[in-house]
Amino acid sequence: FVPDTISYNACISACEKGWQWEIILGLLADMRSCGIIIDSITYSACVTALGRGDKWELALSLLNQTGAITEREDSFLYHACLSVCEKGGQWQLALHIFWNMRAKDMISFNACIAALTSGQQWIR
């Protein structure tokens, strides 16, 4: 058995569901050291798990490491980041991420509104 992106993503997804963000960071480091492609599914699962662990700063730092992913894949990752901002009470960052998205859709609008609402910025 030779591990690949799909097998790592399955492990990361299982760890995400089990709230094991520390293990996920180790798996992400393994993927990098082995030269295994890290895709938007990988990053999105990592961001979600870190957000659940109240590690929003670390989750959002992954956004800067994504490299070249397609616009469609990009939206999955951005949706995860917007959700992390909402949970972390980071409405300013959510707004910044939203404005920097290449393709905005209904999910991203709703996620941004949720972040603004949780930060009690709906009045503005």
Side-chain angles (χ1 to χ4, degrees), residues 11-81:
C11 290
I12 288 171
S13 180
C15 290
E16 176 213 335
K17 288 170 182 49
W19 298 48
Q20 300 297 316
W21 62 268
E22 299 97 339
I23 295 172
I24 288 174
L25 291 177
L27 291 168
L28 197 58
D30 287 347
M31 289 178 79
R32 285 189 184 111
S33 68
C34 294
I36 295 173
I37 294 170
I38 300 172
D39 61 14
S40 68
I41 295 168
T42 312
Y43 282 117
S44 296
C46 292
V47 165
T48 301
L50 288 166
R52 285 183 178 169
D54 291 328
K55 303 293 180 192
W56 63 266
E57 294 115 333
L58 194 52
L60 295 178
S61 74
L62 293 178
L63 191 57
N64 295 324
Q65 301 172 22
T66 58
I69 55 177
T70 68
E71 191 170 294
R72 183 175 174 276
E73 292 175 327
D74 193 42
S75 67
F76 294 125
L77 177 58
Y78 277 106
H79 295 159
C81 288

Side-chain angles (χ1 to χ4, degrees), residues 94-115:
L95 207 50
H96 177 74
I97 289 168
F98 178 78
W99 289 121
N100 286 303
M101 289 180 70
R102 289 182 277 182
K104 296 169 181 68
D105 57 15
M106 189 62 69
I107 296 169
S108 58
F109 277 102
N110 288 337
C112 190
I113 289 168

